[in-house]
Amino acid sequence: MSGPIYTRVALIGLGLIASSMAHAMRAGGLAGEIVGHAKSAETRATALEIGICDRVYATAAEAVAGADLVVLAVPVGAMAAIAEEIGPHLAAGTTVTDVGSVKQAVIAAVAPHVPASCHFIPGHPMAGTEYSGPRSGFATLYKNRWWLLTPDAQTDAAALLRLRGLLEALGAKVDSMDAAHHDLVLAVVSHTPHLIAYTMVGVADHLAQVSNSEVIQYSATGFRDFTRIAASDPVMWRDVFLTNKDAVLDVLGRFTEELFVLQRAIRMGDGDQLHDYFTRTRAIRRGIIEAGQDTSAPDFGRGPAGKPSDQA
Ligand code: NAP
């Protein structure tokens, strides 16, 4: 067991991502104390009840006072106002990180409010579930999952090393990349697939209305996975699409072109083209399994004890 890496960690937002961090920090003895703030009194009371925070505060400004690590774990659209509120209350030397699913927009929203004496190191854990709120977190969420950081040339090396140490102690594999590159990669691997899942479930919902809910009754694994992804938090995903607009629209344009290619192959009865296409995509799936990002076990995305763990 490692000793505490930070003396006081302030979690701003106490939902799935923050509560999972808290559970893992508690399990590893990684934080001297954990304090927190969430918008509603109900969430703050729950955080105390389940023990993820030693103290909670009604304002973010109070919560960050005296912390040496501040984690912004609110929806992306809420980051700017929180950063503006906490800026004047951050102690010199404090590291501020975030867990937002989009990086360029969060950096634009947060960086101007972080004093020069502090270290802002943007981050994104590529782990999650379709569940939200403080009760949905669990200590192993980050085990063997990527946690991407997007430092820049000015980022303090010692502060970066210390944050990396914490994230690795949570079980994560840490990598650094440029923020714009992050947003494009995430548009491909997460954001656009979510949009497609939302759309497919919407289409099925229309069909269900003309087929007496057979779509639900007979829902097979592919569709069930779509419904699980499409159950993800509406506020979080609204903000993702509003703030990663350019990259998502770029990927969606390419997706639409490919879809038309396949649509035409089906219409023309071009089996060779379909077979070649599916052979290529099968190889990609094999690559993901070989990279340790999923198993070939047919659990259709549901992890142990019903805790799915493949969202980001
Ligand atoms: P969540 O479970 O819905 O929790 C969000 C938390 O933020 C709640 O405690 C909420 O408080 C609080 N909050 C919202 N607006 C606030 C405001 N204006 N001021 C203070 N607190 C506020 O969300 P989550 O899944 O943990 O996601 C948090 C962040 O992680 C998002 O930026 C998301 O993009 C990112 N992320 C999510 C996933 C995922 O799969 N879920 C994966 C990677 C990254 P109340 O409960 O009081 O409303």
Side-chain angles (χ1 to χ4, degrees):
M1 191 158 121
S2 352
I5 296 177
Y6 291 95
T7 306
R8 184 185 298 175
V9 176
L11 300 173
I12 308 302
L14 297 168
L16 168 73
I17 295 298
S19 62
S20 295
M21 287 184 75
H23 285 299
M25 286 190 288
R26 291 262 196 245
L30 305 172
E33 57 179 351
I34 303 173
V35 302
H37 161 75
K39 194 171 46 172
S40 69
E42 189 190 345
T43 296
R44 297 195 296 267
T46 304
L48 286 180
E49 182 200 325
I50 63 177
I52 54 170
C53 291
D54 298 304
R55 288 188 305 287
V56 291
Y57 294 91
T59 66
E62 291 169 279
V64 302
D68 49 356
L69 176 67
V70 172
V71 181
L72 305 180
V74 296
V76 168
M79 297 274 183
I82 294 277
E84 186 176 3
E85 180 190 338
I86 64 172
H89 303 272
L90 295 167
T94 301
T95 291
V96 178
T97 189
D98 76 289
V99 295
S101 306
V102 173
K103 294 278 54 88
Q104 292 175 103
V106 169
I107 292 167
V110 173
H113 302 292
V114 177
S117 62
C118 298
H119 314 292
F120 175 41
I121 308 175
H124 176 202
M126 294 190 59
T129 76
E130 71 273 32
Y131 301 108
S132 325
R135 292 186 194 278
S136 60
F138 53 103
T140 55
L141 178 67
Y142 304 114
K143 200 164 187 301
N144 288 326
R145 293 283 160 174
W146 285 106
W147 198 306
L148 302 178
L149 297 175
T150 61
D152 62 20
Q154 280 75 50
T155 303
D156 182 82
L160 180 59
L161 200 66
R162 190 172 170 200
L163 180 62
R164 259 191 105 108
L166 175 77
L167 304 179
E168 284 168 359
L170 298 180
K173 300 182 286 183
V174 182
D175 203 0
S176 292
M177 63 172 65
D178 167 74
H181 187 65
H182 167 280
D183 289 354
L184 181 60
V185 169
L186 265 291
V188 175
V189 302
S190 170
H191 303 166
T192 309
H194 269 79
L195 196 70
I196 294 164
Y198 280 121
T199 314
M200 193 58 222
V201 174
V203 168
D205 183 46
H206 290 148
L207 285 177
Q209 287 163 18
V210 294
S211 64
N212 288 328
S213 295
E214 282 168 315
V215 167
I216 290 171
Q217 188 176 338
Y218 300 125
S219 74
T221 52
F223 180 66
R224 279 211 313 256
D225 277 357
F226 275 140
T227 61
R228 182 175 58 76
I229 293 169
S232 302
D233 186 66
V235 173
M236 169 184 158
W237 286 96
R238 176 201 64 193
D239 289 359
V240 165
F241 293 118
L242 292 179
T243 55
N244 200 19
K245 182 175 164 179
D246 293 344
V248 169
L249 288 178
D250 178 13
V251 175
L252 208 52
R254 291 164 195 267
F255 174 81
T256 314
E257 286 168 21
E258 296 281 305
L259 197 62
F260 280 133
V261 167
L262 291 181
Q263 184 176 325
R264 183 175 160 77
I266 293 169
R267 190 184 306 287
M268 304 306 282
D270 188 343
D272 287 347
Q273 187 172 5
L274 293 173
H275 186 269
D276 287 353
Y277 201 97
F278 301 155
T279 303
R280 265 199 295 136
T281 55
R282 194 179 212 186
I284 292 172
R285 168 71 188 165
R286 259 200 303 272
I288 289 172
I289 292 169
E290 278 161 24
Q293 286 299 291
D294 202 355
T295 70
S296 55
D299 73 344
F300 307 108
R302 282 166 287 279
K307 299 275 194 190
S309 57
D310 63 349
Q311 300 197 356

